[in-house]
Amino acid sequence: MPLLSAIIFSPLVGAICILFLPQRKKNTVRIIALLFSALSLLLTCGILFHFNPDMPGMQFVERMWWIPSFGIQYVVGIDGMSMVLLMLSAFLSVVAVICSFAVEERIKEYFFFFLLLETGLYGVFCALDFFLLYVFWNVNLVTIYFLIGIGGGARREFAALKFFLFAFCGSAALLLGMLGMYFFSEPHTFDLLILSQKALQFQGLEAVIIFCAIYGGCAVIIPAFPFHTWLPLAHREAPIAVSIMMVGVFVKTGIYVILRVCYAILPHIAQHFSSILVILALFNIVYGALVALAQKNLKDIAAYATFIHMGYCMLGIASLSVAGFNGAVFHLFNHGIFIAAFLLLIGILYERTHTLRIEDFGGIRVRVPIIAGFMAVVTLSAIGMPGLSVFISEFLCLLGVFPIYTFAAVVGVLGILITASFFLRMLERVFWGSLNPRWITLPDIRVKELYTLTPLILTLIVLGLYPKLILHILNQSMVYLQGLIR
Amino acid sequence: MNLCLFYPEMILLVSAVICLMWPRRQNSFFAKVNPLFIALIGIFISALWVMYADGNTGVMKALFITDSLTFFCRILILLCTGLTLLNGFRYVHQEEIRSFCCLLLCAALGSMVISGTQDFILLFIGLEIISISLSLLIGYQKKAPYGSEEAIKFFIMSACASAIMVFGISFIYAYAGTTNGVILQGIEKIPHAPAVLLTVGFLFVLVGIALKLGVVPFHAWIPDTFEATSPLLTGFLSTAPVVGIMAVLIRMVSACNNYLDYHITVIVVILAVATISFGNLAALFQKSLIRLLAYSTIAHVGYMLVGIIIGIPRGVEAVLVYLMAYILMNIGIFTMVEVLRGKATLFRVEDCAGLAKRSLISAFLFSVFLLSLIGMPLTAGFIGKFYICAAAFETHHIGLSVAVVINIVISAYYYLHIVHQIFFVSPTSEASISIPKTAGFTVVICGIGILIIGFFPELFITIARYTVRILL
């Protein structure tokens, strides 16, 4: 039973169905999109039950010859790391589709590209052949370009173009790295598992260049300093649901590909460069925190929060320790959850007030106590308050890096302090204080908005108290990965 | 004389003559049948002959060879011609149809001749057939504003190109004592003939070919010609002769790998990189859509030139795969431009605005072509570019590969500009787009072909590899 292929391609089937529907049947389009996304979510839960966390290798592997002339196969499979990210994708896809119901214009094209994006994301996380991964990676780029352009704000064309050009440069670097890996391996292959087993054949300058090419290509997506400038603009101009997919799932593919390709296949180079990678991660944290202090728009805060937290993930993976790897991937999951919740809350506020500038708000806690409560949980989670899941993952990242680069861990903690300052300032200015007279009649949360919000908040709390649920799935694959590096 | 090797070309010639002499008498049987049908039948019979006639491979007195490469090129040229003829049903005026068919078939004939030629003289004849037919075709529309001017320009340019090429051929003749069998077999020289004769001769022949292809710095005629003539002809003009000329270059490369002067290789590398870069950079600044596509065609020819440099076997396979993708992309996109252009003569990029709101299916097809031109995975354009980069890597021409990839990124900008106009800008005119049936058929075939090559490239890669293996 090809479960993984069913998960990957069911949104594609939905997209094709939508293509044949007439333009005016808006509700049918929405329901079909929700149906196929929920189908993938259900199948993912099904896989979760049959997933064996104690086995370090790939599970649910499916193979089929695609382009034998180049030795390219359609091969998909998951291990712990992919499983966790697959769950994140499936969960956030359904949340984002429900959030997309607010879109009124050009619904057919919007949901068509949205479902294609889901297929691309599932594909990236499951692909075990570099060429296949590259194909899905580019599908992501094209669909996000169209999504930002179709549904976005005033400067959406420029934002979409900037995003695409940056990401396409990264994709070009990835192509060069991919070809390099193919031609420097004996025998020539794109299969990631075989390449990983024969990792030691890559030596010398060529291996370094391949590593830099692939890392550089992924660095645009992470987003790493200094290739991150597409993120604030694209994030601001994209509709809320697309933002959720973009910062919730899409940017995770960057770190995932680094782990799956660079670290598994070129571990000796990764070891060689670990200090430089740590410094790059610190750039993310420090620069991101300082710039975020100056932000006046709620969506920009979300963008820079992503930027900073991805810095923590980079720190975790640069530490080359089991704790660091566990922390990094767990952090990818947690970040996805809390940023989705944050964006949902921002969307709720925007729908009522049509503004996202912090200074326009003030003291609305008295009018929207439930929203304030949820926002408080999300803020505490973004800061890394113990009791919520983000603390565990941030702690693990810093724990991994502390023995090796203590200085980096210290800077990381300082970064947490600055993050705390701007997040709490945002919370205080928006919700506390005296009520801004504009919002005297602000309505509180509606029941239908709770459907998507509550599971996210619950996840943050439950994983904060019992992180083993995710860490258990993750651990074996991270131990295996770390073993490769020794 | 093994004339039966030439039967496909002769079938085309017969159809061309019949089309030209198709009577104009009204109220008769002849008025009901469009000469285009005759031309299409001619192409169809020719294709059948190419595919199924026995005793198909052979050499005619070292003049012409029908091997796998000729087969491949003939099929591609017949496909181009057939698709262009299909477009002609709507877009060629009733009075001009006879000359259109005849000249198109003659140009196709010339391309097929040079794809199998072994001898420089036959090469020259074939190129002249193409040039004369094309210069007449460029000016055939009596009402086009710059048609006649451009026809004269093109004719003079081709005459210069042919003159330079003949000059080079004479040098090679001085070196080898014969023009026969020169392209495929090794050249045995006349005793005491200096090797510089061969190099110089080769260089001049190369310049002549570069002029026909539109390689930088001999590219200046391409944007003007593409803009002055009707887009459906531009589709043919940019594909069929290029197929033939690429076949010639492939044969030259496969023959001359051993004794080709190092300097010539360096020159060709510089030309190729210059072509790609200039084509892409110039296209960034174009306001007219057709000129933009003309510069992008120059860049695509440059990519194929990179494949030629890489040589046998991978580079040549790359060129063949790229050719398959290239003809579908070019014919498709120029047909779309013809459909969208309507009565206007100047077609700026902004005129595509809001296509998605006017006709979703046209927008979808247009973006398939544009994504393929960018080189997005799952389209034919990506398979072509991927093969060229892979071939470059395999033969350690990594710098060429990097140059190609950088230019792919640059080209993404201007193609995306068109996509942006199609999808994200409100339409300036509310006129609805109606795609006529035959042109629609062409566009759909090209679009589906691009997606099939993109999703299932194995068949096409195998065809290219088989062709090259037999060639060797």
Side-chain angles (χ1 to χ4, degrees):
Chain A
M1 177 61 192
L3 272 179
L4 275 187
S5 297
I7 294 181
I8 298 176
F9 290 114
S10 87
L12 180 65
V13 172
I16 298 181
C17 289
I18 287 185
L19 214 50
F20 289 115
L21 286 178
Q23 187 77 273
R24 59 184 185 283
K25 292 211 170 173
K26 297 186 177 179
N27 276 330
T28 322
V29 171
R30 291 178 177 138
I31 297 203
I32 289 192
L34 182 58
L35 210 66
F36 283 93
S37 308
L39 180 63
S40 285
L41 179 61
L42 264 142
L43 289 173
T44 311
C45 295
I47 282 197
L48 185 59
F49 283 128
H50 295 289
F51 185 78
N52 182 358
D54 299 318
M55 207 172 80
M58 293 290 163
Q59 302 176 35
F60 300 99
V61 176
E62 298 163 28
R63 255 175 219 280
M64 197 176 71
W65 277 109
W66 184 21
I67 309 180
S69 313
F70 278 102
I72 298 174
Q73 296 181 313
Y74 171 83
V75 49
V76 292
I78 47 174
D79 65 354
M81 172 169 59
S82 323
M83 181 78 237
V84 168
L85 291 171
L86 201 65
M87 285 196 299
L88 178 71
S89 296
F91 192 9
L92 287 187
S93 298
V94 175
V95 165
V97 167
I98 297 182
C99 183
S100 299
F101 283 1
V103 170
E104 285 297 328
E105 293 212 350
R106 303 178 76 169
I107 293 190
K108 210 169 111 165
E109 294 117 306
Y110 178 89
F111 278 109
F112 174 72
F113 286 115
F114 201 91
L115 289 173
L116 276 184
L117 176 63
E118 285 184 35
T119 302
L121 289 169
Y122 292 142
V124 168
F125 291 133
C126 298
L128 288 180
D129 181 291
F130 207 163
F131 188 86
L132 188 65
L133 193 134
Y134 184 76
V135 168
F136 281 122
W137 176 279
N138 278 293
V139 167
N140 289 342
L141 302 190
V142 174
T143 49
I144 292 188
Y145 170 79
F146 279 111
L147 280 172
I148 297 181
I150 288 179
R155 286 182 73 199
R156 62 184 189 272
E157 294 115 12
F158 179 61
L161 189 66
K162 189 168 181 183
F163 161 74
F164 189 87
L165 286 178
F166 267 74
F168 199 51
C169 285
S171 174
L174 204 62
L175 176 66
L176 287 174
M178 175 173 93
L179 283 172
M181 229 176 227
Y182 179 73
F183 283 109
F184 288 119
S185 58
E186 293 299 328
H188 295 332
T189 176
F190 280 109
D191 191 323
L192 291 173
L193 297 174
I194 301 182
L195 284 172
S196 170
Q197 281 162 8
K198 301 201 182 162
L200 287 174
Q201 66 190 315
F202 297 105
Q203 293 291 351
L205 184 63
E206 301 130 1
V208 169
I209 295 182
I210 295 175
F211 185 89
C212 292
I214 300 181
Y215 196 91
C218 297
V220 178
I221 303 293
I222 290 179
F225 180 89
F227 305 122
H228 65 282
T229 46
W230 60 271
L231 182 64
L233 190 60
H235 189 79
R236 200 185 312 157
E237 301 301 327
I240 291 277
V242 175
S243 283
I244 293 180
M245 290 301 271
M246 201 163 60
V247 298
V249 191
F250 174 66
V251 299
K252 315 295 191 277
T253 59
I255 296 213
Y256 170 78
V257 170
I258 290 181
L259 280 175
R260 177 69 78 213
V261 177
C262 288
Y263 278 42
I265 303 179
L266 301 167
H268 37 290
I269 314 283
Q271 214 169 358
H272 198 57
F273 278 142
S274 65
S275 47
I276 301 183
L277 300 181
V278 164
I279 296 183
L280 288 177
L282 289 179
F283 265 121
N284 256 38
I285 300 177
V286 173
Y287 176 81
L290 291 176
V291 176
L293 277 175
Q295 297 309 318
K296 301 190 171 35
N297 185 316
L298 283 172
K299 255 194 157 187
D300 289 337
I301 290 195
Y304 282 103
T306 307
F307 187 42
I308 299 171
H309 282 280
M310 288 301 116
Y312 284 107
C313 294
M314 288 170 71
L315 208 56
I317 63 178
S319 71
L320 302 177
S321 58
V322 179
F325 286 156
N326 270 325
V329 182
F330 190 31
H331 197 64
L332 291 180
F333 186 85
N334 293 328
H335 169 82
I337 302 284
F338 94 72
I339 208 82
F342 189 60
L343 286 169
L344 281 176
L345 289 165
I346 292 180
I348 293 172
L349 283 177
Y350 184 75
E351 189 225 343
R352 287 158 171 70
T353 62
H354 292 289
T355 176
L356 282 175
R357 290 167 50 203
I358 297 182
E359 60 208 18
D360 286 345
F361 293 99
I364 59 179
R365 171 181 56 98
V366 290
R367 291 298 313 167
V368 288
I370 302 185
I371 296 183
F374 280 143
M375 189 62 104
V377 173
V378 170
T379 306
L380 291 176
S381 157
I383 303 175
M385 175 73 63
L388 295 167
S389 53
V390 175
F391 168 69
I392 311 275
S393 47
E394 261 180 5
F395 178 75
L396 282 175
C397 289
L398 294 171
L399 180 68
V401 102
F402 189 83
I404 315 171
Y405 301 102
T406 319
F407 170 71
V410 171
V411 173
V413 174
L414 287 177
I416 297 183
L417 284 179
I418 308 183
T419 312
S421 80
F422 74 77
F423 256 105
L424 287 174
R425 186 183 62 179
M426 180 270 303
L427 194 66
E428 191 251 327
R429 296 243 174 102
V430 173
F431 291 99
W432 265 262
S434 55
L435 178 58
N436 189 329
R438 274 170 79 178
W439 314 126
I440 289 196
T441 52
L442 205 59
D444 204 353
I445 203 162
R446 305 187 186 106
V447 177
K448 66 176 169 119
E449 287 156 354
L450 276 178
Y451 289 142
T452 44
L453 209 43
T454 325
L456 293 170
I457 304 285
L458 278 178
T459 314
L460 287 174
I461 300 177
V462 165
L463 283 179
L465 299 173
Y466 194 56
K468 186 173 171 205
L469 286 174
I470 300 285
L471 285 176
H472 181 50
I473 303 177
L474 204 45
N475 199 28
Q476 266 304 344
S477 56
M478 298 290 99
V479 167
Y480 174 71
L481 191 61
Q482 211 267 343
L484 287 177
I485 300 193
R486 284 291 150 252
Chain B
M1 288 279 271
N2 211 358
L3 264 181
C4 73
L5 292 180
F6 274 120
Y7 277 178
E9 283 84 6
M10 291 212 256
I11 296 175
L12 282 188
L13 184 60
V14 167
S15 325
V17 170
I18 295 181
C19 282
L20 188 61
M21 300 179 33
W22 199 247
R24 289 172 200 265
R25 229 174 331 159
Q26 307 289 342
N27 307 325
S28 78
F29 160 76
F30 296 113
K32 297 201 195 74
V33 178
N34 203 333
L36 277 171
F37 281 118
I38 306 294
L40 277 172
I41 293 176
I43 298 220
F44 189 61
I45 298 180
S46 186
L48 282 180
W49 187 274
V50 168
M51 285 200 275
Y52 295 118
D54 272 338
N56 225 358
T57 55
V59 184
M60 177 186 163
K61 252 192 183 285
L63 200 63
F64 188 82
I65 188 172
T66 51
D67 56 4
S68 55
L69 184 61
T70 323
F71 177 84
F72 183 84
C73 292
R74 275 173 170 172
I75 297 289
L76 281 188
I77 293 170
L78 288 171
L79 181 67
C80 297
T81 322
L83 290 174
T84 313
L85 283 171
L86 276 180
N87 287 337
F89 274 101
R90 172 66 173 263
Y91 293 108
V92 178
H93 202 252
Q94 200 49 33
E95 295 161 1
E96 300 153 343
I97 246 186
R98 286 162 187 79
S99 34
F100 177 78
C101 292
C102 171
L103 291 169
L104 203 69
L105 288 175
C106 287
L109 192 160
S111 310
M112 282 165 65
V113 160
I114 62 173
S115 66
T117 180
Q118 291 283 86
D119 186 309
F120 277 120
I121 299 286
L122 193 60
L123 168 66
F124 177 69
I125 294 177
L127 281 174
E128 282 300 289
I129 297 178
I130 299 180
S131 306
I132 296 180
S133 315
L134 283 179
S135 25
L136 289 170
L137 265 178
I138 289 173
Y140 85 97
Q141 275 184 316
K142 299 195 183 64
K143 308 246 177 46
Y146 294 107
S148 353
E149 170 192 339
E150 202 47 55
I152 295 184
K153 261 202 267 185
F154 183 83
F155 181 68
I156 294 181
M157 188 281 303
S158 337
C160 290
S162 308
I164 297 178
M165 196 180 308
V166 166
F167 194 53
I169 295 176
S170 64
F171 270 70
I172 298 184
Y173 180 71
Y175 180 82
T178 169
T179 59
N180 233 343
V182 167
I183 296 187
L184 187 58
Q185 315 297 341
I187 303 181
E188 288 134 24
K189 60 179 197 174
I190 297 178
H192 308 303
V196 70
L197 275 181
L198 183 64
T199 313
V200 171
F202 213 80
L203 213 56
F204 275 98
V205 171
L206 213 58
V207 167
I209 289 186
L211 265 168
K212 302 265 185 210
L213 270 184
V215 169
V216 164
F218 311 109
H219 64 280
W221 61 276
I222 286 196
D224 296 333
T225 310
F226 280 29
E227 208 173 10
T229 179
S230 97
L232 68 96
L233 256 192
T234 314
F236 179 78
L237 174 57
S238 60
T239 52
V242 169
V243 171
I245 298 178
M246 281 296 157
V248 171
L249 281 176
I250 291 175
R251 290 192 199 281
M252 279 190 186
V253 151
S254 57
C256 306
N257 241 347
N258 306 329
Y259 55 84
L260 201 57
D261 204 348
Y262 168 71
H263 298 300
I264 293 195
T265 317
V266 167
I267 291 178
V268 180
V269 166
I270 296 179
L271 283 184
V273 174
T275 309
I276 303 177
S277 317
F278 180 79
N280 281 318
L281 290 173
L284 284 176
F285 299 103
Q286 297 304 317
K287 304 252 179 329
S288 156
L289 180 60
I290 301 187
R291 285 187 90 92
L292 189 150
L293 290 174
Y295 281 109
S296 90
T297 306
I298 295 177
H300 285 295
V301 166
Y303 293 129
M304 287 192 266
L305 215 56
V306 168
I308 301 269
I309 294 171
I310 297 172
I312 310 192
R314 288 284 174 251
V316 174
E317 290 167 13
V319 173
L320 293 179
V321 171
Y322 204 93
L323 271 176
M324 287 191 271
Y326 171 74
I327 63 171
L328 288 176
M329 295 191 299
N330 259 31
I331 292 190
I333 206 164
F334 281 112
T335 313
M336 277 302 324
V337 170
E338 175 80 69
V339 167
L340 294 175
R341 195 172 74 140
K343 294 275 180 290
T345 46
L346 183 64
F347 198 67
R348 296 164 308 146
V349 178
E350 287 76 32
D351 292 333
C352 302
L355 190 60
K357 293 209 177 66
R358 285 151 74 187
S359 162
L360 198 55
I361 188 85
S362 325
F364 177 67
L365 285 169
F366 210 160
S367 21
V368 166
F369 295 129
L370 286 170
L371 287 176
S372 178
L373 283 165
I374 296 179
M376 270 287 134
L378 296 182
T379 59
F382 173 68
I383 301 294
K385 297 201 169 82
F386 174 76
Y387 212 128
I388 290 193
C389 291
F393 257 88
E394 190 162 349
T395 48
H396 303 289
H397 287 99
I398 307 212
L400 278 177
S401 190
V402 172
V404 168
V405 168
I406 292 179
N407 277 288
I408 293 179
V409 176
I410 297 177
S411 72
Y413 178 75
Y414 57 83
Y415 288 127
L416 273 185
H417 186 50
I418 308 178
V419 174
H420 156 67
Q421 289 291 326
I422 294 176
F423 276 97
F424 304 148
V425 175
S426 320
T428 47
S429 78
E430 286 304 325
S432 67
I433 312 283
S434 61
I435 310 185
K437 288 208 190 61
T438 46
F441 188 59
T442 310
V443 168
V444 165
I445 288 186
C446 292
I448 293 186
I450 288 180
L451 288 175
I452 289 183
I453 299 184
F455 275 83
F456 306 109
E458 181 56 25
L459 173 64
F460 303 94
I461 295 182
T462 319
I463 293 178
R465 289 199 175 177
Y466 181 70
T467 308
V468 173
R469 203 172 55 216
I470 303 222
L471 188 63
L472 291 180

